[in-house]
Amino acid sequence: MELKPYRDNVGALLFNGAGLVLVARRADMPDAEGAAGGWQLPQGGVDPGEDLRAAVLRELAEEIGTDRAEIIAEHPEWLTYDFPPELAGRGFRIAQRYRGQRQRWFALRFTGRDADIRLDADSHPEFDAWRWAGIEELPALAVSFKRPIYEVLAQAFGPLARALASAAKSR
């Protein structure tokens, strides 16, 4: 695995007006009991030469059916995780080609309505359910190999989530 490269990737913490973050449940990674897989934040690969800010909006449109969002913050560092070896053995195509992912994360303010989120917008949906969650829930919702990144994100963007929630309460 160490000889494989990391895949460049962007991730989105999409905040609603109450400071909650959109999480979606993977449809293609069943758990040990065969149920749908872990919850995660929208994320996806960056095309060669693609601007990272454009990529995160494109990924939102592809994965959750809307790009009704504005970027309000960016994590200053690339964060990486390795794929567990069993993913490649289960036919997870990306894990066969890459060691893991090198990600740039963005916080975005959702400017649409819940009805604008359409998991069925793509002919091969990645997710089968979504919900709004508190940022502190992220690490517990993540699959184990993504948990360290979600811990960093919860800490880094926690103050932003609290500020959005506080502003919503004062309206």
Side-chain angles (χ1 to χ4, degrees):
M1 285 294 275
E2 298 82 39
L3 299 177
K4 293 179 185 179
Y6 283 104
R7 176 180 181 232
D8 282 351
N9 187 283
V10 289
L13 286 90
L14 184 64
F15 288 96
N16 70 8
L20 300 174
V21 179
L22 181 137
V23 293
R25 188 176 61 194
R26 295 283 307 219
D28 63 348
M29 293 179 69
D31 64 17
E33 289 77 42
W39 293 84
Q40 72 175 51
L41 300 165
Q43 65 175 57
V46 177
D47 295 330
E50 186 176 23
D51 176 79
L52 297 177
R53 290 172 169 259
V56 75
L57 292 172
R58 175 185 52 76
E59 282 297 330
L60 282 177
E62 289 176 5
E63 292 192 352
I64 65 167
T66 186
D67 64 355
R68 293 179 182 239
E70 60 184 3
I71 296 170
I72 54 176
E74 178 178 348
H75 192 276
E77 300 169 357
W78 287 93
L79 303 175
T80 61
Y81 68 85
D82 290 349
F83 293 126
E86 62 269 14
L87 281 185
R90 289 190 352 214
F92 195 64
R93 193 172 31 104
I94 293 172
Q96 293 170 348
R97 294 182 48 209
Y98 296 97
R99 171 184 183 171
Q101 304 214 70
R102 180 177 89 124
Q103 301 180 304
R104 184 56 64 101
W105 284 91
F106 294 89
L108 301 98
R109 181 188 336 267
F110 183 49
T111 59
R113 301 169 318 175
D114 284 3
D116 294 323
I117 298 170
R118 297 281 317 272
L119 301 182
D120 62 351
D122 188 270
S123 59
H124 300 296
E126 185 169 337
F127 303 115
D128 65 2
W130 71 274
R131 68 180 180 93
W132 297 108
I135 196 164
E136 69 283 350
E137 294 178 67
L138 294 181
L141 293 172
V143 294
S144 61
F145 62 94
K146 291 183 183 180
R147 194 162 295 133
I149 284 186
Y150 281 37
E151 290 169 351
V152 169
L153 296 173
Q155 182 174 359
F157 291 112
L160 177 59
R162 289 185 288 279
L164 290 169
S166 178
K169 288 177 184 172
S170 66
R171 278 187 242 146

